Amino acid sequence: MATSGLIISLSLLLCIIPVRCFAKSCPPTSDVALFVFGDSLFDVGNNNYYLNPKIPFHFQANRLPYGQTFFNYPNGRYTDGRTIVDFIAEYANLPLALPYLHPAYQQCLDGANFASGGSGALFETNQGLVIDLKTQLKYFKNFAKLLKKRLGEDRARGFLSKAVYLISIGSNDYINRVTLDSSAYSSYSRDQYVDLVIGNLTSVIKEIHNEGGRKFGFLGLAPVGCVPLIKMRSNGTCCCNESEASVLAKLHNKALSGILKKLQKQLEGFKYSLANFYDLLTDLIHNPLKYGFKEGDVACCGSGPYRGMLTCGGILGRTNYELCKNSSEYVFFDSVHPSDRANEFFAQQMWIGHLNVAAPYNVKSLFNA
Ligand SMILES: *[C@@H]1O[C@H](CO)[C@@H](O)[C@H](O)[C@H]1NC(C)=O
Ligand SMILES: *[C@@H]1O[C@H](CO)[C@@H](O)[C@H](O)[C@H]1NC(C)=O
Ligand SMILES: *[C@@H]1O[C@H](CO)[C@@H](O)[C@H](O)[C@H]1NC(C)=O
Ligand SMILES: *[C@@H]1O[C@H](CO)[C@@H](O)[C@H](O)[C@H]1NC(C)=O
């Protein structure tokens, strides 16, 4: 007991200050770093190191079949293989990132991944179970502080201004609004709630900019009502694109697009790419064959209608989940998250997509800017 308590407090300590960071022996592998914030679509395992001994279960993808196709072991990524940001790192000639909270994290000059599955822009979203966006920002500020100490203010700002910042956030704020009866702000109208989410995201963008960040890439929201988890609840009524969750996602995407245009005028040097994840995923769901998938509606792993119950990997002892034979044939790996193969498609679109899918820049041109 005593030993495990010690291990827990030691790892908590390591989590807060990754010790090997900025060691002299850690040269950058590319001159443009990548920083990642957000939710499970971008998390590469932070939740496995975010220990809350009081709450044994939280949002972790730490059991097979998560991780089965590319890494061959569960590693905290919410998919069978790579996340969208893994592919983007590869295209940018960066190594696959260890999560920022991993005790062995030391790739400091390549950037850092702070994303946490289950998190939202609102503090209240899955509060206590996830690293909320503000805390992710706090980690980034610590990082920037250490960097300034090591490189000096000017060089550090130069480094941070060349870096690319990728953010995926918001889905969980809306998923909770439509699935939890007693969610905070249930008395808020749709527009008021979207304003709250966008307001919090905007303040994080401004703070990253204030630290020197200039180049931002956003994954717009998915048609949230069409992911198996939410679609399952609709009882097959028409249509997932018209369900409350999708309506909120569309409002969010419109508001985000508007605010980014504003920020481009307000913030010095601000450049961004907004990926139209909504239309991309909708197309994949409706026309899987066109993209070489066999199944767009039903998840590979899970249970219930559309395999929409989040039981993949036997979470909470629910071990009787179903698993498809070949996850590369499925758009969705589990009830919420795309498969490795679908993530590759989204990453390619973000990387080199034209204006209809990634605008006003694509992520490749952010890296090259
Ligand atoms: C951010 O969200 C909190 C609730 O978590 C809310 O009280 C606050 O007003 C929001 N901030 C902005 C700038 O919208
Ligand atoms: C779904 O259908 C079942 C049975 O037809 C019904 O009991 C349930 O209330 C429905 N749920 C929703 C969300 O409409
Ligand atoms: C939703 O999709 C259906 C077809 O699946 C289409 O008929 C309908 O117009 C769409 N609704 C919206 C609001 O896009
Ligand atoms: C799985 O499906 C993909 C895509 O259809 C295909 O390329 C691959 O060969 C399949 N793998 C196996 C083991 O059947």
Side-chain angles (χ1 to χ4, degrees):
M1 283 308 278
T3 324
S4 78
L6 183 66
I7 290 170
I8 286 175
S9 37
L10 264 180
S11 36
L12 276 175
L13 197 73
L14 291 174
C15 289
I16 293 160
I17 312 162
V19 280
R20 273 175 277 186
C21 202
F22 304 114
K24 291 243 158 45
S25 61
C26 137
T29 51
S30 155
D31 53 343
V32 181
L34 174 60
F35 291 93
V36 176
F37 298 81
D39 54 27
S40 53
L41 289 170
F42 283 6
D43 187 355
V44 294
N46 279 309
N47 277 6
N48 282 351
Y49 304 97
Y50 179 66
L51 300 177
N52 186 341
K54 287 198 197 121
I55 305 169
F57 165 75
H58 51 289
F59 299 87
Q60 290 177 330
N62 57 1
R63 290 163 186 247
L64 282 171
Y66 287 105
Q68 71 175 5
T69 50
F70 183 77
F71 299 95
N72 299 315
Y73 68 98
N75 55 72
R77 286 170 172 82
Y78 297 77
T79 179
D80 56 321
R82 288 155 290 185
T83 65
I84 291 172
V85 290
D86 292 320
F87 287 104
I88 287 181
E90 184 193 320
Y91 305 154
N93 293 317
L94 287 162
L96 288 181
L98 277 180
Y100 178 72
L101 295 186
H102 193 292
Y105 163 77
Q106 59 172 355
Q107 301 154 310
C108 331
L109 294 179
D110 292 323
N113 182 320
F114 307 101
S116 165
S119 67
L122 301 181
F123 175 68
E124 292 84 354
T125 296
N126 301 322
Q127 185 177 348
L129 305 176
V130 300
I131 309 157
D132 65 282
L133 190 60
K134 284 252 165 65
T135 305
Q136 294 180 30
L137 175 70
K138 200 179 78 192
Y139 290 155
F140 171 67
K141 285 181 165 177
N142 286 345
F143 182 106
K145 205 158 141 196
L146 279 174
L147 189 74
K148 284 169 188 171
K149 239 189 207 156
R150 173 163 170 214
L151 299 183
E153 181 82 23
D154 285 354
R155 274 183 68 207
R157 279 193 85 83
F159 171 89
L160 294 173
S161 68
K162 270 175 106 175
V164 170
Y165 300 80
L166 296 181
I167 305 179
S168 160
I169 203 80
S171 306
N172 292 310
D173 300 298
Y174 301 111
I175 287 177
N176 280 13
R177 179 170 165 107
V178 302
T179 58
L180 303 179
D181 295 334
S182 62
S183 90
Y185 310 109
S186 50
S187 65
Y188 279 48
S189 72
R190 283 172 179 162
D191 285 334
Q192 286 171 324
Y193 191 76
V194 170
D195 283 350
L196 218 53
V197 172
I198 294 285
N200 275 269
L201 173 53
T202 306
S203 70
V204 168
I205 296 169
K206 285 181 172 167
E207 296 215 40
I208 296 172
H209 179 269
N210 199 32
E211 295 289 335
R214 293 294 179 268
K215 307 189 247 170
F216 291 78
F218 299 90
L219 186 64
L221 295 194
V224 182
C226 304
V227 307
L229 176 82
I230 306 295
K231 188 146 56 179
M232 174 184 72
R233 302 164 61 93
S234 70
N235 268 344
T237 53
C238 179
C239 298
C240 66
N241 59 352
E242 284 161 13
S243 79
E244 178 67 13
S246 293
V247 170
L248 286 164
K250 265 185 276 194
L251 284 174
H252 174 99
N253 286 340
K254 199 161 165 236
L256 179 59
S257 163
I259 202 83
L260 291 175
K261 280 184 191 134
K262 255 194 210 151
L263 292 177
Q264 196 175 26
K265 292 193 188 122
Q266 280 174 11
L267 303 179
E268 186 216 322
F270 182 81
K271 274 199 174 66
Y272 72 94
S273 172
L274 174 56
N276 187 349
F277 193 36
Y278 194 102
D279 287 347
L280 287 172
L281 182 52
T282 299
D283 203 22
L284 243 59
I285 290 170
H286 291 319
N287 307 297
L289 296 177
K290 189 169 127 193
Y291 299 94
F293 294 92
K294 290 197 176 141
E295 180 58 60
D297 282 313
V298 178
C300 167
C301 185
S303 47
Y306 306 104
R307 296 193 181 134
M309 287 167 72
L310 197 51
T311 53
C312 184
I315 288 166
L316 293 178
R318 290 176 294 198
T319 51
N320 57 342
Y321 63 91
E322 298 161 39
L323 176 64
C324 69
K325 282 216 174 68
N326 184 349
S327 50
S328 297
E329 295 172 347
Y330 285 69
V331 172
F332 289 100
F333 177 64
D334 72 8
S335 7
V336 182
H337 307 103
S339 62
D340 174 274
R341 190 144 169 264
N343 281 337
E344 180 173 22
F345 171 76
F346 299 131
Q348 283 167 353
Q349 296 299 314
M350 287 180 80
W351 185 250
I352 50 162
H354 293 295
L355 285 175
N356 55 335
V357 293
Y361 295 94
N362 56 33
V363 172
K364 184 180 183 190
S365 56
L366 289 182
F367 270 92
N368 292 337

